[in-house]
Amino acid sequence: MRHLVALVAFLAFLLLSPLLLGVVNRVKAVFAGRTGAPLLQPYRDLRRLLGKQAVYSRTTTWVFRAGPVVGLAAVVAAGLLMSFGGAPALLPFPGDFILFAYLLGLGRFFTALAALDTGSSFEGMGAAREVTFASFAEPALFLCLVVLVRATGSMSLSGMLRAELPEIWHTQGPALLLAAVALLVVALAENARIPVDDPNTHLELTMIHEVMVLDHSGPDLAFIQYGASLKLFLFGALVVRLALGFPFSSTWWSLLAFLGGMALFAVVLGTIESTTARLRLIRVPQLLVAASIMGAFALVLILR
Amino acid sequence: MALWTGFVFVLVVGLDLVVLASSRLRGAIRTVAFQGAVMSALPLLLASEHHQTVHVLALALGALVVKGVVIPGMMLWAMREAAIRRELEPIVGFVPSMVLGAVGVALAFTYSGSLPLPIHARHTLLVPSALSTVWTGLILVMTRRKAVAQVLGFLVVENGIFVFGLLLSDFMPFMVEAGVLLDLLAAIFVMGIVIFHINREFASLDTRRLTSLRD
Amino acid sequence: MIATLVVVAILVTGASGLMAVAFHRRPALGQALACAAMCLGALAGVVAAVAALLAPAAPELALPWSAPGGAFALRVDGLAAFFLFPVLIVPALGSLYGVGYFPQARLGAKAIRLQLFFGLITGSMALVVVAANAILFLAAWEVMALAGFFLVLTEHQERDAQRAAFVYLAAAHAGNLALFAMFALLGRMAGSYDFSAMAGLAAAGGAATAVVALALCGFGMKAGILPLHFWLPGAHSSAPSHVSALMSGVMLKIGVYGLLRVAGFFRAPPAAWGTAMLVLGGVSAVLGVAFALAQHDVKRLLAYHSVENIGIIAMGMGLALLGRARGDAALVFLGFAAAVLHTVNHATFKSLLFLGAGAVIHATGTRDLDHLGGLSRAMPRTAALFLVGAAAICGLPPLNGFASEWLVYLASLRTVFDVGAAPHPHIAAVAAPVLALVGGLAAACFVKVFGTIFLGHPRSHHAQHAHEASASMLAPMLVLAVVCAAIGLFPAALLPALARAAAGWSGLPLEGLGRSAAEAGNSAWRVSAVAAALIVVGLAVALLRRRLLRRPQPGAETWGCGFARPTARMQYTGSSVAGMLVGSFRWAFFPHTKVVAPHGVFPHRSMYSTYVPDTALERGIVPALSWLAQLAARARSRFLGAVQFQALLLVSGLVALLLWLAFGGVQ
């Protein structure tokens, strides 16, 4: 039974991630006073891109063609380890969150290499910024996860995000709150949302992720966009389950509540993107160091 | 109840770190104001049975008004009058001062249990938050270049002493009020800065002479 | 029988260089025979090591030897067997590589010398690993250090090589002094110089602390733990690439072996030792990778990455010592397995990287990253193999770097839980985020390295005329890449053997260690399952892409934002990619910058170059030693003639010693 729920959750992850992006864009449009694109627009974009040709720069080699493939495969494999809505993951084991983080790192590594393969200074700049900010975000992510390990006594993501999380809030509330805020900041940084990066523009000033994929087109771009939405769903699942663990006894109700929580997360994300300005580039490491410090503070609180 | 008090203490320490990271003086002043306002709830949360409710309520209200409204308002007015702009890069740098603050917070939280205090603290997080806040204020005083930022650091030290004073309020009922009154000292500093700036600019303290200026 | 096979391996590899000398009139044959001897010796040794791992008790051998206090005693226990794998395999592959990279037919006497000392260093390293007597250990250690000196000095006409070799020799001998003192103390504590007598020593008291401090100085100097790493970058960058692979991949590990062996002598080490080792390891790891980010000489960069990985190994060792302090069998297993597995893994991927870098240097003639570029067109196989090594060193799944780093994480997380007689020092939990930081920085560095060397456009004429490496250079790299992938895909296979080795090292019963090995093994099989899923999904996506893009796709120039004629110099260089991170670490660096700034509206040729020297060497060791040298010079000049004064000192020392021995002295 638990395996069936896990499978359904994984399928929901694969199918509903672009909808998350659709909700975010809709919220941003509402804030801007527009009607905005339909909620299912990202799916239409993906279908359009899959049908197109791709133009390849003559400088690129097989690394450029492999980048999107490896990136997507890595994110899908990471999804096998994540627990969605309190349901167990498809392949949980103690220490799986380490593999989760490093699989995302594998995707990032190959995307950055594909960017450098084009021999252009724009993509090089994007790749440099991406790997720099990732190095600052990784310790923050691990500090929050270690806090969860200690709070729940389990070394697996499925154990950390299980149904008893709301009770742990009663005893370790402040530490978990700090960890949740730090994880939200890390999620913003890793998914290249405002205030770290602007996913809408392709201008030099605001580019990190968007400029890394500037030269990709056609199905490659479809894989990259789909992979980005999957990654957003994964981080959202972590933050939502940590912040809003619904203590339902039935696993199906938990899953539904989780999906509602994900929609709420998308609304919150859209609100943050519409009300904050993008940080100056040199302030982004300071933001991530602040997230690490919050995580370290949470760790000190929970180890007392 | 203890859980919500814990949230408040953690929020106070979190605001300390935010102040260390701000480069904008106005934002830092508003953060310290918010911290003072949050702290004013602590006497209510920590009150034990044999305290008079009126006394505790008056204390909380007084702290809210003075720390949250009056002193920050005066500082913002002083900044407007003296046209003080944003903080220059501090002597230690924003990220290192954040890290320094964080190290102090970690040490305070880890080792405050082994401090020999004669009075038993009513909440486990009280002493560490007080120590962290005092440490943050001292870092601000030591590393910032502008006088307004140093006064801000003094205010943060004040807040820390206020929290620490809550430890003693059973025994010395006016201790905390005395702490609140120390804020007046900060107000005097602020007035001094404004006077110094006006005096330096116009070689006179008489603000009526300002109206005779022509463009 | 097993031990005899090991002796045979030592002799055959040690003497392999003599083949090159004997056949110096027929250089190709001589080199081929030397290489064959190395490979045969390595094969014998590997077979013996596998047999030793499967044997119920550790094989021993004792031969008569007339050294005072010394005995030719060998013991191949689990720890030694694991270390024999990299010690023998990497030099054998290196000698195969040398056939194409450093051919005797073209380079004559230099190549003969290199092969002679290459064989000698391999044999002596293997002897160090299996020695069971302190005198034998020290003798083999000296031979190893001296052979290393001659290997670094292969290109003896270059000033950089001369300086690097001198620094290496000074550092190695300073370390050796510490080792002599340490073994003297250990001999006193145990009553004999045999390792079997030194087992189970008490860890309390000043003598034990002194032993550990001396071990950290001596073995730490050889291993390259910060701040004793200062000889590493110069020595590894001046030596030929297969020698660098041997030094970085194997010789540093002998220092790690020494630390593990000495730590294994003590029965119940205090937690302070483990914490100290953990902290030293963490600092080495972070600063090592920070210095690597700032380099643009590819071999210096790889040398600093060795410092980083030795730091990770030291973190594993520290966690194992913490486990022994608290009697926590699971922590001991995880820390020990992490340290030993990372040793083997680092030997494979670091050698792979150095051999790849050697192929690039051989093809282009330059070591500078910012003069290379676009080499994956001219050298596609080298690029692919280098990519495997780069992904492995960053700890990316499904390669072997992830497997050992994962074990370090598990060990560090174990300390978050209060287990055993007393809770672990919770500071050990910070090892996990520190390791995450190191992993992120390493990924940034290798994006820089691989991207600058192999991707984009060639940045100079060096890179434009590159050629693919020869088969003898590619074959060893392929073998190493296959090993990386194999260990990475099936890490669970090695865990039971590691548990047995840990039981021998720590003295804890095998049941507890075996249980935690089984638990870790279950998780490791799940890791393999996820790795398999990753490969399957990747293949599926690639097939989908191929189906969607069946026709050949149009090509175009890279989008240059409107530049009419983008040049190759407009690309991001390696220094630019690492620029922001190097800026964050500027409190640790003291860069030398040379700038010729552009003036005027139509400026002439201007120039900007930076060079980040090693801080420990340039700001610490060299000034301190210069000051000491000045003092010594001042002392010398007071007296008449250097020789007479030194003779006077010698005679007074001897007289003092004789007087002390005559009137009291040693009982």
Side-chain angles (χ1 to χ4, degrees):
Chain A
M1 179 61 173
R2 306 275 292 169
H3 294 297
L4 185 60
V5 179
L7 190 61
V8 169
F10 186 71
L11 284 172
F13 156 67
L14 286 179
L15 292 171
L16 293 178
S17 303
L19 184 58
L20 199 69
L21 273 185
V23 173
V24 172
N25 289 334
R26 200 51 175 297
V27 170
K28 282 162 76 166
V30 163
F31 265 92
R34 300 179 274 124
T35 315
L39 283 176
L40 298 181
Q41 185 60 30
Y43 293 99
R44 297 198 183 99
D45 284 338
L46 288 176
R47 206 177 75 176
R48 174 176 52 94
L49 284 170
L50 283 173
K52 282 191 171 229
Q53 271 187 330
V55 179
Y56 287 107
S57 158
R58 290 188 202 99
T59 319
T60 59
T61 61
W62 63 271
V63 176
F64 185 75
R65 291 148 179 80
V69 172
V70 175
L72 183 58
V75 178
V76 170
L80 291 171
L81 299 168
M82 176 54 102
S83 143
F84 298 107
L90 278 177
L91 277 175
F93 57 90
D96 59 6
F97 65 93
I98 304 160
L99 182 58
F100 174 79
Y102 273 78
L103 276 170
L104 295 176
L106 175 72
R108 191 185 312 122
F109 187 74
F110 271 90
T111 313
L113 283 181
L116 284 174
D117 200 13
T118 59
S120 152
S121 35
F122 288 110
E123 278 91 336
M125 184 168 57
R129 290 170 178 177
E130 170 88 3
V131 294
T132 307
F133 296 152
S135 336
F136 287 116
E138 289 280 294
L141 176 66
F142 268 87
L143 277 166
C144 300
L145 289 173
V146 172
V147 167
L148 274 177
V149 165
R150 166 82 174 184
T152 56
S154 158
M155 291 215 286
S156 156
L157 277 171
S158 309
M160 283 187 236
L161 301 176
R162 63 177 187 263
E164 290 81 53
L165 201 55
E167 278 122 53
I168 301 177
W169 272 90
H170 287 305
T171 43
Q172 303 280 5
L176 286 185
L177 179 65
L178 282 171
V181 172
L183 272 176
L184 182 64
V185 173
V186 168
L188 289 174
E190 290 261 358
N191 292 292
R193 317 302 305 182
I194 293 180
V196 173
D197 181 19
D198 192 345
N200 270 352
T201 75
H202 298 269
L203 296 173
E204 186 177 313
L205 294 174
T206 65
M207 294 190 293
I208 304 173
H209 190 77
E210 285 300 313
V211 72
M212 266 206 303
V213 302
L214 201 60
D215 246 55
H216 291 277
S217 48
D220 290 335
L221 189 57
F223 294 150
I224 289 178
Q225 284 186 352
Y226 181 54
S229 66
L230 288 178
K231 196 165 155 185
L232 184 62
F233 196 97
L234 283 176
F235 275 96
L238 193 56
V239 175
V240 164
R241 182 64 193 167
L242 176 57
L244 308 169
F246 293 107
F248 288 118
S249 52
S250 156
T251 39
W252 295 106
W253 278 114
S254 252
L255 190 60
L256 261 144
F258 166 74
L259 290 174
M262 286 301 291
L264 183 63
F265 172 74
V267 169
V268 166
L269 203 60
T271 314
I272 295 179
E273 293 220 314
S274 309
T275 52
T276 354
R278 194 187 154 283
L279 284 176
R280 275 168 64 198
L281 209 65
I282 55 171
R283 299 282 274 166
V284 175
Q286 292 177 11
L287 176 71
L288 290 169
V289 168
S292 303
I293 289 177
M294 267 198 284
F297 185 28
L299 189 63
V300 167
L301 278 177
I302 210 161
L303 283 177
R304 275 170 62 84
Chain B
M1 184 56 88
L3 186 66
W4 290 106
T5 325
F7 273 116
V8 170
F9 281 125
V10 164
L11 183 59
V12 163
V13 177
L15 288 170
D16 285 333
L17 296 171
V18 170
V19 171
L20 277 176
S22 332
S23 63
R24 294 215 209 106
L25 280 175
R26 290 179 180 279
I29 293 173
R30 291 206 182 92
T31 312
V32 175
F34 184 54
Q35 188 185 45
V38 164
M39 236 179 249
S40 64
L42 280 173
L44 291 166
L45 287 170
L46 286 174
S48 54
E49 298 70 34
H50 58 271
H51 257 203
Q52 304 124 323
T53 323
V54 174
H55 179 219
V56 168
L57 213 58
L59 184 59
L61 212 58
L64 179 66
V65 166
V66 173
K67 284 182 186 296
V69 178
V70 173
I71 303 291
M74 280 179 56
M75 291 192 67
L76 287 172
W77 170 79
M79 276 185 63
R80 242 191 347 262
E81 284 297 309
I84 300 169
R85 284 186 296 279
R86 65 188 297 153
E87 170 73 24
L88 304 164
E89 183 73 11
I91 300 173
V92 182
F94 287 113
V95 172
S97 47
M98 244 200 308
V99 171
L100 212 59
V103 166
V105 166
L107 287 174
F109 273 84
T110 318
Y111 291 114
S112 60
S114 36
L115 280 175
L117 289 172
I119 307 156
H120 175 65
R122 261 176 291 159
H123 193 281
T124 47
L125 293 182
L126 190 147
V127 174
S129 337
L131 286 173
S132 316
T133 313
V134 170
W135 171 250
T136 306
L138 289 174
I139 292 180
L140 282 172
V141 170
M142 280 192 294
T143 64
R144 297 294 199 254
R145 292 181 202 265
K146 292 231 176 216
V148 176
Q150 290 176 326
V151 171
L152 200 65
F154 179 72
L155 277 179
V156 175
V157 172
E158 272 311 294
N159 285 350
I161 295 176
F162 178 80
V163 176
F164 206 75
L166 290 171
L167 196 63
L168 301 170
S169 58
D170 270 353
F171 293 81
M172 293 176 65
F174 292 104
M175 175 77 182
V176 194
E177 280 84 331
V180 170
L181 282 176
L182 270 174
D183 285 334
L184 278 182
L185 200 58
I188 296 174
F189 280 141
V190 170
M191 292 296 298
I193 294 170
V194 176
I195 291 168
F196 171 70
H197 272 278
I198 296 180
N199 197 19
R200 200 184 60 185
E201 290 292 335
F202 302 111
S204 159
L205 215 44
D206 192 345
T207 51
R208 284 173 304 171
R209 306 255 309 254
L210 292 175
T211 57
S212 64
L213 292 171
R214 289 281 177 268
D215 199 348
Chain C
M1 193 0 228
I2 297 176
T4 326
L5 203 54
V6 173
V7 173
V8 165
I10 293 173
L11 284 173
V12 170
T13 50
S16 67
L18 293 173
M19 295 281 170
V21 177
F23 287 90
H24 66 270
R25 288 191 204 281
R26 303 188 33 209
L29 180 63
Q31 190 166 19
L33 280 177
C35 175
M38 276 284 254
C39 294
L40 268 174
L43 189 61
V46 165
V47 165
V50 171
L53 276 177
L54 297 172
E60 292 185 2
L61 179 69
L63 293 175
W65 195 34
S66 58
F72 202 94
L74 302 180
R75 188 159 183 271
V76 190
D77 62 356
L79 181 62
F82 266 105
F83 272 84
L84 270 179
F85 289 117
V87 163
L88 290 173
I89 296 179
V90 171
L93 291 172
S95 70
L96 182 60
Y97 183 87
V99 169
Y101 177 75
F102 217 78
Q104 192 174 334
R106 190 160 50 92
L107 294 163
K110 243 194 283 190
I112 296 178
R113 266 206 314 273
L114 188 146
Q115 287 175 88
L116 188 62
F117 290 111
F118 205 77
L120 207 55
I121 202 175
T122 311
S124 57
M125 284 196 293
L127 187 55
V128 166
V129 166
V130 296
N133 174 282
I135 308 292
L136 180 63
F137 187 96
L138 284 172
W141 188 276
E142 271 292 338
V143 173
M144 174 182 80
L146 282 175
F149 168 71
F150 285 110
L151 283 173
V152 172
L153 210 49
T154 307
E155 303 279 353
H156 56 85
Q157 69 280 6
E158 292 188 19
R159 275 199 52 83
D160 284 340
Q162 289 167 8
R163 183 164 191 260
F166 179 69
V167 173
Y168 165 78
L169 192 64
H173 274 136
N176 289 1
L177 270 178
L179 287 183
F180 271 97
M182 178 194 80
F183 274 117
L185 267 177
L186 271 175
R188 271 267 293 267
M189 281 170 78
S192 124
Y193 285 117
D194 285 320
F195 285 1
S196 49
M198 293 183 193
L201 288 174
T209 321
V211 164
V212 162
L214 286 168
L216 273 175
C217 288
F219 291 124
M221 183 82 82
K222 178 60 73 182
I225 298 182
L226 221 102
L228 297 172
H229 69 289
F230 51 87
W231 58 272
L232 256 176
H236 288 202
S237 60
S238 313
S241 299
H242 52 311
V243 172
S244 306
L246 180 143
M247 291 178 75
S248 216
V250 188
M251 205 173 74
L252 300 184
K253 311 303 184 301
I254 308 293
V256 171
Y257 169 79
L259 275 169
L260 275 173
R261 184 60 76 191
V262 170
F265 286 154
F266 293 97
R267 205 171 35 236
W273 293 6
T275 316
M277 183 78 90
L278 186 64
V279 169
L280 271 177
V283 170
S284 281
V286 174
L287 284 179
V289 75
F291 271 100
L293 273 166
Q295 306 299 320
H296 50 81
D297 174 340
V298 62
K299 285 172 74 168
R300 266 183 87 93
L301 185 147
L302 289 174
Y304 274 113
H305 270 287
S306 295
V307 174
E308 169 215 336
N309 281 288
I310 293 288
I312 298 178
I313 297 174
M315 283 166 84
M317 274 199 286
L319 287 164
L321 285 174
L322 274 176
R324 281 181 63 192
R326 301 295 189 219
D328 185 355
L331 185 56
V332 170
F333 168 73
L334 288 170
F336 180 84
V340 173
L341 189 60
H342 201 71
T343 305
V344 171
N345 289 344
H346 181 237
T348 44
F349 51 66
K350 186 43 69 71
S351 316
L352 174 58
L353 286 170
F354 263 111
L355 295 182
V360 167
I361 297 169
H362 186 76
T364 59
T366 174
R367 293 205 306 240
D368 193 340
L369 276 178
D370 294 329
H371 288 181
L372 298 168
L375 287 179
S376 71
R377 289 182 185 284
M379 311 171 69
R381 299 192 190 95
T382 311
L385 293 168
F386 195 92
L387 184 59
V388 172
I393 199 172
C394 298
L396 299 176
L399 295 169
N400 55 356
F402 175 75
S404 42
E405 287 193 23
W406 181 66
L407 287 172
V408 180
Y409 277 112
L410 285 180
S412 142
L413 288 167
R414 175 108 185 137
T415 62
V416 166
F417 302 110
D418 295 330
V419 190
H424 294 295
H426 290 306
I427 182 129
V430 177
V434 166
L435 197 54
L437 175 66
V438 169
L441 291 173
C445 193
F446 273 94
V447 162
K448 160 187 153 166
V449 171
F450 189 80
T452 318
I453 297 182
F454 291 105
L455 302 175
H457 292 286
R459 289 180 182 82
S460 74
H461 63 278
H462 295 287
Q464 263 157 4
H465 306 293
H467 57 273
E468 177 64 275
S470 63
S472 87
M473 287 163 69
L474 284 174
M477 300 205 303
L478 183 62
V479 169
L480 288 169
V482 166
V483 170
C484 283
I487 299 182
L489 286 171
F490 303 106
L494 290 170
L495 291 177
L498 283 167
R500 277 201 296 276
W505 174 72
S506 63
L508 289 175
L510 186 54
E511 294 84 48
L513 293 166
R515 213 175 323 125
S516 93
E519 277 171 29
N522 284 340
S523 308
W525 282 116
R526 294 263 171 134
V527 170
S528 305
V530 174
L534 172 72
I535 294 176
V536 164
V537 173
L539 284 173
V541 173
L543 278 173
L544 173 65
R545 185 181 158 274
R546 189 176 281 248
R547 237 176 57 116
L548 290 169
L549 296 176
R550 219 171 274 156
R551 305 181 304 281
Q553 301 297 312
E557 287 301 321
T558 306
W559 166 241
C561 199
F563 282 126
R565 288 216 309 245
T567 72
R569 292 299 300 273
M570 285 182 189
Q571 291 175 99
Y572 243 51
T573 61
S575 323
S576 328
V577 171
M580 214 188 286
L581 282 169
V582 168
S584 321
F585 279 98
R586 60 178 175 272
W587 46 272
F589 303 147
F590 291 91
H592 298 169
T593 315
K594 253 197 316 228
V595 184
V596 173
H599 292 294
V601 181
F602 294 103
H604 286 278
R605 188 181 183 80
S606 29
M607 172 197 90
Y608 176 87
S609 85
T610 63
Y611 167 67
V612 175
D614 190 75
T615 303
L617 186 60
E618 295 259 330
R619 295 276 161 156
I621 310 275
V622 168
L625 291 180
S626 310
W627 177 73
L628 279 176
Q630 275 174 11
L631 279 184
R634 279 216 303 254
R636 270 203 303 272
S637 61
R638 285 182 202 285
F639 300 92
L640 34 126
V643 177
Q644 287 93 325
F645 181 59
Q646 281 163 37
L648 176 64
L649 280 177
L650 201 64
V651 169
S652 351
L654 275 173
V655 167
L657 188 61
L658 280 171
L659 285 175
W660 179 63
L661 278 173
F663 294 110
V666 184
Q667 258 71 45

